[in-house]
Amino acid sequence: MIKKKFFINGIARTIVAKPEDNLANVLRAQLGMTGTKIGCGQGQCGACSVIVNDELVRSCITSMNRVPDDARITTVEGIGTPDNLHPVQQALVTHGAPQCGYCMPGFVVSSKVLLDDNPNPTGAETRAWFQTHRNACRCNGYKPIVDAVMDAAKVLRGEMPQDELEFKMPADGRIWGSAYPRPSAVAKVSGTIDYGADLGLKLPPGSLHMALAQAEVSHANIRSIDTAEAESMPGVYKVITHKDVQGKNRITGLITFATNKGDGWDRPILCDEKVFQYGDALAIVCADTEEHARAAAAKVKVDLEVLPAYMSAPAAMAEDAIEIHPGTPNVYFEQNIAKGEDTDPIMAAATHTVEDEFYLQRQPHLTIEPDVGLAYYDEEGRLTIHSKSIGIHLHHAMIAPGLGVEPDKLRLIQNPAGGTFGYKFSPTMEALLGVACMATGRPVTLRYNYFQHITYTGKRSPFFVRLKFGADADGKLLAMESDWTVDHGPYSEFGDLLTLRGAQYMGAGYDIPAIRGVGRTVCTNHIWGSAFRAYGSPQAFLASESLMDELAEKMGVDPLELRYKNVYRAAATTPTGQTPDAWSFPEMIDLLRPRYQAALEKAQKESTANVKKGVGVSLGIYGCGLDGPDSSEVWVELTKDGVTLGVSWEDHGQGADMGALGTAHEALRPLSLAPESIKLVMNDTGVTPNSGPSGGSRQQVVTGNAIVNGCQQLVAAMKKTDGSFRTYDEMVAEGIAIRYAGKYTASMASACDENAQGSPFSVYMYGLFMAEVAVEVATGKTKIEKYTAVADVGRINNKLVVDGQMYGGIAQGIGLALSEDCEDLTKHRTMVSCGLPYAEDIPDDIELLYVESPRENGPFGAAGVGECPLTASHVAVINAIKNATGVRITHLPALPEKVLAGLKAL
Amino acid sequence: MIKKKFFINGIARTIVAKPEDNLANVLRAQLGMTGTKIGCGQGQCGACSVIVNDELVRSCITSMNRVPDDARITTVEGIGTPDNLHPVQQALVTHGAPQCGYCMPGFVVSSKVLLDDNPNPTGAETRAWFQTHRNACRCNGYKPIVDAVMDAAKVLRGEMPQDELEFKMPADGRIWGSAYPRPSAVAKVSGTIDYGADLGLKLPPGSLHMALAQAEVSHANIRSIDTAEAESMPGVYKVITHKDVQGKNRITGLITFATNKGDGWDRPILCDEKVFQYGDALAIVCADTEEHARAAAAKVKVDLEVLPAYMSAPAAMAEDAIEIHPGTPNVYFEQNIAKGEDTDPIMAAATHTVEDEFYLQRQPHLTIEPDVGLAYYDEEGRLTIHSKSIGIHLHHAMIAPGLGVEPDKLRLIQNPAGGTFGYKFSPTMEALLGVACMATGRPVTLRYNYFQHITYTGKRSPFFVRLKFGADADGKLLAMESDWTVDHGPYSEFGDLLTLRGAQYMGAGYDIPAIRGVGRTVCTNHIWGSAFRAYGSPQAFLASESLMDELAEKMGVDPLELRYKNVYRAAATTPTGQTPDAWSFPEMIDLLRPRYQAALEKAQKESTANVKKGVGVSLGIYGCGLDGPDSSEVWVELTKDGVTLGVSWEDHGQGADMGALGTAHEALRPLSLAPESIKLVMNDTGVTPNSGPSGGSRQQVVTGNAIVNGCQQLVAAMKKTDGSFRTYDEMVAEGIAIRYAGKYTASMASACDENAQGSPFSVYMYGLFMAEVAVEVATGKTKIEKYTAVADVGRINNKLVVDGQMYGGIAQGIGLALSEDCEDLTKHRTMVSCGLPYAEDIPDDIELLYVESPRENGPFGAAGVGECPLTASHVAVINAIKNATGVRITHLPALPEKVLAGLKAL
């Protein structure tokens, strides 16, 4: 141990610590200063940034013996407090920068040092600073942060009073449609919100730390697991294997399509007979510290019969491939699409046909917060599991049988989540936490390191697509033929649904009268497929929006105008035969057109022999809801102090609190409540009803409608005959109910049939994307110079949330297009190697335009927004590279070497 | 577990906790909010005060299931911060209220609620509030706190700007003699200083919690210790017994007088053959949590042969008493005093003789912080023990052989201590911490609960005294005969020295030409005797200052005037034959006399049949130093930023930091340094030299002189021929040493001989005390209405420190007189039952007067102060009771029932 004295946020502290431990751990685990976050743990994300003697350092890679005695250390807690925010913090709130918020303390600290050093930085200097200091954000595309730093600098230079940055309540008291900051924003920028790892550190003394013994091969039969040595390691309380699991030891995807050849019970909690993928959990060690647990987990010995690993769909489909799940074929589900007339004769007769093959890679979610959770028995004896779950009621049902717990004895709670982007639509560690808590009877906590987070949580499933368009002489699409293969990894949950998404979104946006195609779900040994923002659609639109450009090129017409000709207008139907809920594309294209033409002109003018510039467009669509008649339930209760809303609207970071508050506030407007009088009780199956999962941008629409329903019931009950409203006391005195269940079912929607025909979503969102790129000829490296998006997401509930979702989704689209991948387990092991975009990878110049078509089926006309910007934003980049260089990348990501090879092959 | 959401200092926090755990533990151990302190753990001290939904609560007795969901909780951290103090905090600093500081967070929180409820309280209302809410302080006698609340209220009412409370640097830049707040004051009022339990909570994960298996009898032979069941308890890492101790398993008092019949190696670290007192440590359990450790400790089984327990000196001296330490008689040391002529003929010839017997009880220290410590191996492999030790170098030598550690492999560090008042002059848990760390190799921490703190740390040793005065017709003392018996408990450390103190202080203050007497140290099975402020003198002065009043009464003269006649004047000698270093008593009595006469008059006027009022006086003296030529060493080093002082000046709470800073600042005045440019490095045997222990008020004198010596060397080395001073860079460039060892030895002092004759102390302090009491005739209950003290403690270094020491010592004297005891192990188990004075027990009206005789042997004329107010302040109360009621209490404490019995017997 070393003993040192530091001045932490001005306070003298004596610290006794292991010399090799890092400063982040010491601040967090020893001093309880959890404002400093640990993201990657490898100095690649900056969430742990602190100031040591005026220098910005990443505390997760700063070992204690390198921190000098008497060091002055400043953490986010020392920069500002919730009631006394630093200008940087206030500006971040004002600009809606905090989404999941996990990176915010790091950005606050980093910005503080930047502005101490340079009181008047440019946006480019600010981005360069964040790039150099590895401050990574996965939610907001950096722009709101850079804009906030510019404003904070003004305040610090005395050019603007800080209170000018504060939200001003509109005169009419309406926050719907405003830039009201989300309720959690201040806690996020001040480092005072407790994420899962923070709560884990704050469990009662004697709580156990878990570590997993994991498979280091991708496919094997298990002969035996030997835990003896692990059990004898220091600090170990218990080593748990599948034998300790009281239930079926399987996680189920619940709803498996009738034609699915598997039964959906294919994912073990703790492996018993087989290892299905790298990282599969073989045993859990529970110990007094995480370090002890990990050391012991390394001593669990497994005797394996290693089997051939099928690391892609083609490999698993090979003739000689064995069944990964014996008894179930590796190709376990097929989804047809058949709309309109047979396409064979149409294609044969079409003036123009175009056909190509595409591959969208295994995109990693790269949340800054790695997966984390905790479990304990609550005061009613319920096994209570806290996690990042974005579907607490869904996961409740998915894991209860495997654990062997009666449903009423299981309670799931979502912690504040440092980003999910969909990976938490799958249970990850929930069942492991449950098993460990049941086996030990003690509170337990589990935290993945970033490598585990990458390798042992679901990823976006790669699609191999072959697509063909037939068009008439004018370019009007007549028919589409598709074939797509989904590598879903070893676990089937929602794999059939994802395959259906291919049918729903390939060619979406265009009125194509005839479609034929088939998709298939393939079991492989690569990382299992989980939801990822815009689930299934980036794969679909890579094909159809690339092919649209190929058709335009073949015809020699402008790709935007070709789209304009084909987009949904009245009487159009979607690929599933549904009538769209809005026909905004013509208006959206009209909005974009002058910008597009100017961009083309600029690109042409600025292109040189060394740097080729180009412009690409794409459109994207996503449905708001689960397939079919999606439902949600909430409760609304009048209290002495206002109204309490109970809702399971899980938060990825997208702004569930703001969505719920904005909707409820609007629905309760007759009561003239201040927003802070509406209390949110959220995301706890013990308290909040089943509002459905936070996936498919469904919550604003489906749960939003349920909130409106509940609020309206309450308002009606409170209303007196004279038009005024009863108080709480009057309601109680008159014996009128004060609590109402708000319910909604999207009964106008219907599930798709075996030919993928139906009206699966009650509301859709529409996006139109334009990327302006510069490709360095010598290296093939693509830089995005500007990005423009036009979105119709209905009436906007909250401007900050919607802008933030758009910025962040576009940034992920850029990453998807250019750098992100998680294919090679020997290489894709870190944020950097997985291609996370940093500040300089995302342009400062992002322009957002909205067409606000009110949606009939959305609350107050709103649609969802989260998926919209990632449906097809990557394809605009791909199309722009083609426009700039003549190189079409069909297999993503468009890494420099791939573009370079294309350039050389021209 | 329960999960609740609280708003803690305005921040929403989700808490998972055991329903039966208390809020204080959860705040501290789970949230790392260690500003809230745990003192008694029983709701009797208020150190844990927090605000829950606007109500003041003691969080240590507030179970989590009683804290409502959504509760608004405010802790000291939420009231003010070091750079933004709340007016209450600023006022407490200004008034010097924080001494040990352990109670301060509780008072800050309590005062906040008081002033929220009542913006204009009177002093009496403030005391009543603290009384009701059980806010206890053991250091400062409450007056500085009440005064601070009055000032804070003014600020809060807008009648005074807060900055008026801030210390203003004098124009001459001199802080010596000023009311400069001690360096630790702000940290103490803001709850940001980490005491031992706080540091224990902040050790690295995997550190072990210790619990002791302790004897529940007071005397026994040990047949066997069975740890098997304890070892199998949850969370247990190791159970340690004497067999695991690598060294001699004994603690030694080091210096044992030549005539001591014991060898001083009588105190086991972990009992092996015998139990010597209740609470003796039999085994240590090291576990993952304190709760687990305690549960397992309860399962250690001991097979004992119970022996007769000798719970007082007379019992242990009985004919049939067996030897507690076989081979050493229970009366193991005798100290004679023989000054001047034989007293027999003088007594026979004396006009007046008076004789009486007295008993001073086993006074408990009742620090608000219970004993606590931690240990680990440092980066150099040294066994490093943090404790409340006020003698780190002393204890280093006392425990190293017992542990079996080479001296250079042992390092002792003092934590900020929440009060010691001397009990930490003995090692308490240091060796236990060392044994546990050596046996486990892990960091360990041990925290006594308050019952353990009372029963298993040393107490003031009771004295049984018989004293006789002979005086001439004028009342001039001619001779004194004394006999005293010291119940020192089972462990001999410093017992002989304490017995010598009886010789040194009985009759001190008066020029008595002839003295004969003998004292003896007795081994018993009651709690071992340790140092307690004014060590030995309250026992001595109870006898001589009571007897002085008895003589005055017998002569029919005024007791103050009788003292005036006898006090030291030029040519007088002390009982040890030393010439006093100051003759201030006549001047001090002259100062007191008008106040005394007015008080007598007032008492007479206000006495009624129901309430008898009276006035009592006493004087007290204490030496500054260890017996004989006491030494100290420090180092002083020039740095780039100023000067660093390294010193082992341990802090009880008395203000070691201020003492060191004030002295160094004065000595360095030629350099014109700001106080904050002097850095203090304190109390770590690994870094700071042997400055001697913080006992006997020696540090200001002995270490103060060493500081002056070191500083003067540095200043001389820096001085250029032109009278200006070299900078750090110039010193380095010229190759002049920048670091100097400051040394001092009080060579003018000499140890006492076998007749207690010598000049043991180079400097003395002098106190004169006057109590005004009101005794309720119906109950015998005594209330102190006013207290006046005149002190000569030499030149005053720091006004706040000296006033604070005086107030606090007087409060302890009042407690000693009226309520405090620790005799009955079945009854004296808590702060309340041990008689701790609360706010209403100590008068608001305490008047302090100083005579500042510069001391030749003190640095800049200073003497010590800490012991002065507890030498004889209790006797003034006893004499006042006699004056009021005619009842003389000779056996303390003067409990109401004792006074009542006396009244009835009149």
Side-chain angles (χ1 to χ4, degrees), chain B residues 453-670:
Chain B
H453 182 58
I454 290 172
T455 51
Y456 197 46
T457 64
K459 298 287 159 281
R460 190 187 292 285
S461 294
F463 274 37
F464 299 77
V465 184
R466 187 164 50 73
L467 195 68
K468 183 177 183 182
F469 282 156
D472 68 13
D474 287 341
K476 178 78 189 69
L477 292 174
L478 301 174
M480 180 175 81
E481 289 176 356
S482 54
D483 182 285
W484 68 103
T485 300
V486 178
D487 171 357
H488 201 258
Y491 303 128
S492 68
E493 55 204 34
F494 318 123
D496 40 20
L497 184 70
L498 173 63
T499 308
L500 172 61
R501 291 283 179 272
Q504 290 165 338
Y505 295 119
M506 262 180 268
Y510 307 118
D511 184 29
I512 308 175
I515 304 176
R516 289 295 182 278
V518 61
R520 60 197 65 79
T521 325
V522 183
C523 182
T524 73
N525 295 115
H526 213 309
I527 305 172
W528 89 86
S530 73
F532 194 146
R533 190 179 203 167
Y535 195 46
S537 76
Q539 297 98 320
F541 288 114
L542 172 64
S544 57
E545 286 302 294
S546 294
L547 201 61
M548 206 63 186
D549 261 39
E550 294 188 48
L551 178 62
E553 193 188 9
K554 196 164 184 181
M555 292 175 60
V557 301
D558 181 90
L560 184 66
E561 297 311 326
L562 182 63
R563 285 174 172 85
Y564 189 76
K565 191 183 300 281
N566 281 285
V567 291
Y568 297 157
R569 289 181 175 78
T573 56
T574 70
T576 71
Q578 182 175 5
T579 299
D581 66 332
W583 298 267
S584 343
F585 275 129
E587 185 184 349
M588 291 163 68
I589 294 176
D590 288 343
L591 256 178
L592 184 66
R593 187 176 290 109
R595 291 168 173 84
Y596 171 69
Q597 288 165 349
L600 281 175
E601 210 167 301
K602 179 170 177 285
Q604 211 162 3
K605 203 180 301 171
E606 294 181 359
S607 277
T608 66
N610 296 328
V611 177
K612 301 290 185 192
K613 298 198 174 182
V615 183
V617 296
S618 62
L619 60 74
I621 292 178
Y622 210 76
C624 302
L626 301 178
D627 259 59
D630 191 4
S631 292
S632 179
E633 185 175 340
V634 307
W635 53 255
V636 179
E637 182 174 328
L638 184 67
T639 65
K640 273 195 173 301
D641 306 321
V643 170
T644 301
L645 168 64
V647 56
S648 301
W649 184 335
E650 299 90 349
D651 198 28
H652 304 248
Q654 84 279 25
D657 56 345
M658 190 64 240
L661 177 65
T663 308
H665 189 258
E666 184 69 6
L668 294 168
R669 279 198 79 215

Side-chain angles (χ1 to χ4, degrees), chain B residues 139 421-422 460 531-535 538 805-806 808-809 812 866-867 869-870:
Chain B
C139 288
F421 312 116
R460 190 187 292 285
F532 194 146
R533 190 179 203 167
Y535 195 46
Q805 286 292 292
M806 290 299 296
Q812 292 181 349
E867 328 281 339
L870 192 49

Side-chain angles (χ1 to χ4, degrees), chain B residues 127-195:
Chain B
R127 280 181 185 266
W129 175 270
F130 292 141
Q131 182 85 20
T132 304
H133 295 283
R134 287 267 190 252
N135 288 106
C137 171
R138 184 63 165 163
C139 288
N140 67 24
Y142 301 101
K143 182 170 167 57
I145 300 174
V146 175
D147 290 349
V149 172
M150 298 296 102
D151 271 356
K154 271 187 221 160
V155 172
L156 289 165
R157 291 195 305 268
E159 296 166 10
M160 178 164 69
Q162 182 162 338
D163 59 13
E164 202 169 292
L165 287 172
E166 288 167 13
F167 177 77
K168 307 291 178 306
M169 198 67 187
D172 65 358
R174 181 178 220 166
I175 63 168
W176 180 270
S178 76
Y180 187 88
R182 68 180 68 191
S184 58
V186 166
K188 285 170 176 172
V189 297
S190 59
T192 57
I193 191 168
D194 283 335
Y195 296 89

Side-chain angles (χ1 to χ4, degrees), chain B residues 664-797:
Chain B
H665 189 258
E666 184 69 6
L668 294 168
R669 279 198 79 215
L671 305 182
S672 302
L673 290 175
E676 51 276 16
S677 299
I678 300 174
K679 180 182 159 190
L680 303 175
V681 172
M682 297 179 74
N683 307 328
D684 177 346
T685 64
V687 186
T688 57
N690 190 350
S691 316
S694 285
S697 289
R698 57 176 293 285
Q699 295 280 30
Q700 178 63 62
V701 171
V702 186
T703 297
N705 277 318
I707 291 171
V708 172
N709 174 257
C711 291
Q712 285 174 343
Q713 291 179 59
L714 175 63
V715 169
M718 291 171 70
K719 195 158 190 172
K720 298 184 188 173
T721 48
D722 66 356
S724 67
F725 294 94
R726 292 178 181 84
T727 63
Y728 172 85
D729 290 335
E730 287 168 347
M731 293 281 279
V732 172
E734 294 181 42
I736 303 173
I738 53 168
R739 180 167 169 145
Y740 296 88
K743 297 186 183 186
Y744 177 76
T745 298
S747 50
M748 64 295 292
S750 61
C752 289
D753 64 16
E754 68 279 11
N755 287 320
Q757 297 303 291
S759 297
F761 306 105
S762 65
V763 174
Y764 286 88
M765 49 203 160
Y766 304 92
L768 179 63
F769 307 98
M770 178 175 76
E772 298 170 54
V773 306
V775 181
E776 196 177 49
V777 172
T779 61
K781 187 167 165 43
T782 301
K783 184 161 179 62
I784 313 295
E785 299 208 309
K786 175 167 181 172
Y787 208 102
T788 307
V790 189
D792 180 1
V793 294
R795 293 289 194 215
I796 290 174
N797 174 344

Side-chain angles (χ1 to χ4, degrees), chain A residues 766-821:
Chain A
Y766 304 91
L768 179 63
F769 307 98
M770 177 174 77
E772 297 170 54
V773 306
V775 181
E776 196 177 52
V777 173
T779 61
K781 187 167 165 42
T782 301
K783 184 159 180 63
I784 313 294
E785 299 209 310
K786 175 169 181 172
Y787 207 101
T788 307
V790 189
D792 180 0
V793 295
R795 292 288 194 216
I796 290 174
N797 173 344
N798 183 276
K799 191 76 171 52
L800 292 181
V801 166
V802 169
D803 281 356
Q805 286 292 293
M806 290 299 296
Y807 289 131
I810 289 166
Q812 291 180 348
I814 292 170
L816 180 60
L818 297 181
S819 58
E820 295 178 21
D821 204 354

